Amino acid sequence: MTIHRSMSQRKDVPKCRPFFEMIDLKEDKLPQARPPKQFAPDPVAKTWTVPELCEAYGWPKGLEGGGVIGILAMGGGYQPSDLEAYFEGIGQPMPEVKNIVINGVGNRPNQPVSEDFDPDVEIALDIEVAASAYYVATGQPAKIRVYWTDMDLRSMAPAIQKAAADGCSVLSISWGAPENAWEWLFWKFGQNVAVQLEATLIRAAALGMTVFAAAGDREANAGEAQKTVNLPAACPHAVACAGTSKTRDKEVVWNNDPGKINGIGTGGGYSSLFFPQAWARGAPVGIGRMVPDVAGNADKNTGYRIFVHGSERVTGGTSAVAPLYAGLFAAFAKKSNGFVNPILWANRDCFQDITEGNNDGYVATIGPDPCSGLGVLIAHELANLFTTQDAPAPYKA
């Protein structure tokens, strides 16, 4: 059973204010989930196609597959012609993509919020990375289900619940908000939305769905005045995905602005809402659950080549890591193990430790740490772990 801190005992409501001022929310307006902002890569960046990155991470081949990939979308949209151009460009067949509208307007491309906040880039990234990663592992076109909601944080749980009920084996979530935004909903409306979200994740895991969530792109402060982490990544029943900067010969913690608080780089740290988890053996002790669990390439300067708005574009962020892992785990079988965090933490030899870099709050060390977690996947080792006859049984919460 996951233990939650009681928000009713917290007395630091004023600390919520910097977040809402930063994103222009009035007190009578609801906090909204956001994907990371998109930033142009350095012109001399060495970037990756997804098949190239999969090869570098030791991707398995010829897996059984059959898992359905769910993607949570809280705004934006995609053009089928962009997807067709992307998959033709990397020599893969088109995935099967279906749209399920939970609330909001559904697939509605070409509605950018601002120059550096275009949700269409996020949607293209999620679909293209997850589907192409799956194909590399299986040789089969992926089945993608996009679950559309509005940006209200309370919309996440119903979408997660629907994806699990539909039989998705994995769900990729690239959206989120700092923990104090979720606390604000409790103080404003008496709804403990963070606890409700974790309860939904527990039920989804019981149905065999594994959820991968981006840890965020604003370093250890998550864009706030103090260290914090993002939900849903900090929920114990989500696999929290952090970011690295991966070149052809080196991989370090992703941090584009060393020494700059609230710069661009991977999120990570300790939850103030969820206690440390017993299965996270070896994690440095902090006030709460350590985030992240895993890491992968996220730096825009070593980013992912995608196709959106009629042309190729390079992007990244921890929101690229979540669909990358989702594509791999969907390749294992029709049903995943659901709650995999205890299995991952018990099999640290399936990860390459990241020992260099920091997120301006925490420093990478030998072993797990709050900026790279267990490290980056050794994909064929994870495949062996989850697909052999001796594969671990689903972990019971």
Side-chain angles (χ1 to χ4, degrees):
M1 175 64 68
T2 301
I3 301 174
H4 308 275
R5 295 174 189 265
S6 172
M7 294 185 195
S8 63
Q9 297 175 5
R10 297 187 57 112
K11 306 299 182 184
D12 56 351
V13 182
K15 291 183 181 178
C16 296
R17 292 305 307 155
F19 172 74
F20 299 106
E21 291 169 359
M22 182 177 69
I23 63 172
D24 274 340
L25 283 180
K26 304 297 183 183
E27 194 161 327
D28 60 345
K29 291 186 178 181
L30 294 173
Q32 295 180 328
R34 297 276 183 171
K37 293 183 177 181
Q38 291 84 39
F39 299 90
D42 188 289
V44 298
K46 303 296 184 182
T47 59
W48 303 84
T49 65
V50 173
E52 289 171 345
L53 187 61
C54 289
E55 182 178 357
Y57 280 143
W59 231 245
K61 302 290 177 64
L63 295 185
E64 175 187 353
V68 176
I69 302 170
I71 291 173
L72 179 62
M74 304 187 79
Y78 67 88
Q79 294 281 9
S81 58
D82 284 340
L83 301 184
E84 291 167 1
Y86 172 80
F87 289 102
E88 181 180 355
I90 62 172
Q92 292 186 4
M94 271 283 289
E96 174 192 285
V97 182
K98 291 186 177 180
N99 300 305
I100 299 92
V101 179
I102 307 300
N103 57 42
V105 298
N107 182 24
R108 191 184 179 199
N110 302 314
Q111 305 292 323
V113 175
S114 66
E115 184 176 342
D116 61 0
F117 175 38
D118 182 353
D120 293 3
V121 176
E122 186 56 58
I123 303 305
L125 176 69
D126 291 345
I127 295 174
E128 292 169 9
V129 169
S132 50
Y134 176 89
Y135 182 84
V136 172
T138 66
Q140 306 166 23
K143 292 183 178 179
I144 304 284
R145 304 291 180 267
V146 185
Y147 292 86
W148 300 92
T149 77
D150 57 26
M151 292 184 184
D152 187 332
L153 300 184
R154 296 172 295 181
S155 296
M156 278 193 176
I160 294 168
Q161 183 172 333
K162 174 62 174 171
D166 287 349
C168 291
S169 62
V170 295
L171 180 67
S172 176
I173 302 178
S174 293
W175 302 68
E179 284 188 333
N180 62 15
W182 302 79
E183 289 184 285
W184 183 88
L185 286 170
F186 177 81
W187 288 101
K188 184 72 175 177
F189 300 107
Q191 291 181 268
N192 203 329
V193 183
V195 171
Q196 293 166 3
L197 180 66
E198 169 65 1
T200 302
L201 290 168
I202 292 173
R203 291 192 294 269
L207 292 174
M209 187 173 79
T210 304
V211 177
F212 299 91
D217 296 357
R218 294 299 300 275
E219 301 187 321
N221 281 43
E224 296 292 273
Q226 63 282 325
K227 291 179 184 177
T228 188
V229 290
N230 290 292
L231 262 63
C235 289
H237 280 72
V239 182
C241 301
T244 65
S245 177
K246 179 174 178 57
T247 64
R248 267 58 179 178
D249 56 7
K250 189 175 184 180
E251 192 159 13
V252 301
V253 173
W254 171 39
N255 187 345
N256 291 153
D257 300 305
K260 179 181 178 182
I261 299 299
N262 294 331
I264 305 305
T266 187
Y270 294 94
S271 173
S272 63
L273 302 182
F274 299 100
F275 283 117
Q277 302 297 299
W279 40 259
R281 296 178 182 88
V285 177
I287 61 170
R289 157 159 158 72
M290 192 194 83
V291 178
D293 299 298
V294 299
N297 184 47
D299 188 351
K300 280 80 172 176
N301 294 321
T302 61
Y304 297 67
R305 299 203 287 274
I306 66 169
F307 203 95
V308 63
H309 295 318
S311 63
E312 186 178 85
R313 176 171 180 154
V314 175
T315 189
T318 58
S319 59
V321 185
L324 185 72
Y325 271 90
L328 176 66
F329 274 69
F332 294 160
K334 291 182 180 179
K335 283 287 184 181
S336 77
N337 283 57
F339 183 35
V340 300
N341 278 345
I343 301 172
L344 299 180
W345 279 84
N347 290 274
R348 285 162 55 175
D349 56 348
C350 292
F351 297 87
Q352 178 64 48
D353 194 12
I354 301 298
T355 60
E356 183 177 341
N358 67 83
N359 67 349
D360 283 311
Y362 305 95
V363 178
T365 60
I366 295 174
D369 55 66
C371 46
S372 63
L374 294 165
V376 299
L377 71 171
I378 305 173
H380 63 274
E381 295 289 353
L382 283 172
N384 289 338
L385 176 64
F386 283 97
T387 62
T388 63
Q389 291 183 346
D390 296 327
Y395 189 92
K396 301 298 183 182

